[in-house]
Amino acid sequence: MDERRTKAITEQILQLKSERKAVFLVHYYQRPEIHVLADFLGDSLGLSRQAAATDAQVIVFCCVHFMAETAAILSPQKTVLLPEMKAGCPMADMVDVDGLLDLKAQHPDAAVVSYVNTTARVKAESDICCTSANAIEVVNAIPQRKVIFVPDKNLAHWVSRHTDKTIIPWEGFCPPHDSLRREMVLALKEKHPNALFMCHPECRPEVIDLADKVVSTSGMARYVQGLPEGATVIVGTERGMTERLRRDHPNKTFLIPTDWLLCPNMKKMTLESIRNALETMQPVVRIESDIADRARLALTRMLQVVGGS
Ligand code: 13P
Ligand code: SF4
C-alpha cells in the first residue's frame, strides 16, 4: 500500500477508534503500520493482563484468534473485535479435546498446564494457563508433581530443563519457530562472530542450546534495551519482532536467520480489516458461557501466580 493510502486509512481508523472509545491491543508480530495504532504493544502475557485490566468497552485485538479469545474470556461484558477471524494459530489447532481428555484419564494425578496458544475449549479442560514468559514459574508454582503440558513440545522441553517435575508434553509445535535450524544460526555466527543469539522458547532444544538468551517477545525487547550501542543480535523469533527492534534501536544490528520465521496468520490483519471492523463493529469474538467460565478459572489462576489479576 502506498504511503498516502496508509496515512488516509490510519486517519479513518483513529477517528473511528475515538468514536467507539476502543482500545487497541497489538502483538509484536503484527505489521509495522499496525504497531503504530497500539495503546498497548506486547507479548501474550502483557496482552492478557491489559485485556483483564482495561476499562474500555471495546477491545480491538490485533493478533491471532486464541489471544482475542483470551480477552473475551477475561472480559465477557466487553466487545472484543478480531478484525481477521481467519487469523488462527496452527499450533493451537494441534490439540484435540478428546485426545486431551484421554491423556487426563491416563494421568489422573497430573495437572494440565495449557499454553495460552490454545482454544477456549482446551483452556476449559486445563488447571492453569501459562505464556512463554511465565511457563517455568507456573509449573513450579502448582502443587502437582506431574504436568501434562499442551500444546508446544519445544516449550515443554524448555520448561523441563528448569523443573524437577515430570512433564508429559503434547506433540504440538509452532511451524515458524520449529523451522529454525541449528545450522542456520551457526552459519550466521560464523559470519558475525561477535553476534549474540536470542530466541523464543518455541524453538527446538538444539537451537536453544546455542542461545545467549531464551525469552518471550517482551523479554527480547527488555534484553535488547540493556545491550550496548553497536551490538549485533541474531533474532530467533517471528520477523515482526525483528522489524520492531530495528525501528527502536537504529544503532544496533538485528539479523534474521531464515525467511521461514514468518507467521502468515499474524500477517493476515490489515489496516483495511481493522477499519472495516470498527465501522461495522464486527466480527465479535464470542464464547459459550459454560466454556468461558471454566477457561476463565485457568486464566485467572495464571494471573494470580504471576500478577495481573
Ligand atoms: P509471546 O508469548 O512471546 O507473545 O509469543 C506468542 C506466540 O505466539 C509465539 O509464537
Ligand atoms: Fe501460532 Fe507460531 Fe504464529 Fe505464534 S508464531 S501465532 S505460535 S503459528
Side-chain angles (χ1 to χ4, degrees), residues 170-191:
W170 192 269
E171 289 297 307
F173 60 91
C174 161
H177 284 95
D178 195 68
S179 71
L180 178 58
R181 298 289 189 273
R182 207 179 146 79
E183 312 80 69
M184 298 166 180
V185 180
L186 289 173
L188 264 185
K189 274 183 164 265
E190 208 175 300
K191 276 204 211 147

Side-chain angles (χ1 to χ4, degrees), residues 45 48-49 51-53 69-77 112 114 116 123-124 126-131 134 138 141-142 291-309:
L45 177 60
S48 305
R49 283 180 170 144
E69 267 194 345
T70 300
I73 294 165
L74 289 170
S75 301
Q77 70 291 0
V112 178
S114 66
V116 281
K123 287 185 179 77
S126 306
D127 294 284
I128 188 165
C129 291
C130 71
T131 73
N134 63 25
V138 165
I142 57 177
I291 290 174
D293 289 346
R294 288 162 62 213
R296 191 175 309 113
L297 274 179
L299 280 165
T300 46
R301 280 190 198 123
M302 168 186 84
L303 293 173
Q304 279 157 7
V305 167
V306 297
S309 63

Side-chain angles (χ1 to χ4, degrees), residues 229-250:
E229 297 294 293
T232 299
V233 187
I234 303 168
V235 186
T237 196
E238 210 276 345
R239 61 181 305 146
M241 185 72 210
T242 315
E243 282 153 11
R244 181 71 199 189
L245 292 170
R246 283 178 176 157
R247 202 193 106 147
D248 290 348
H249 301 278

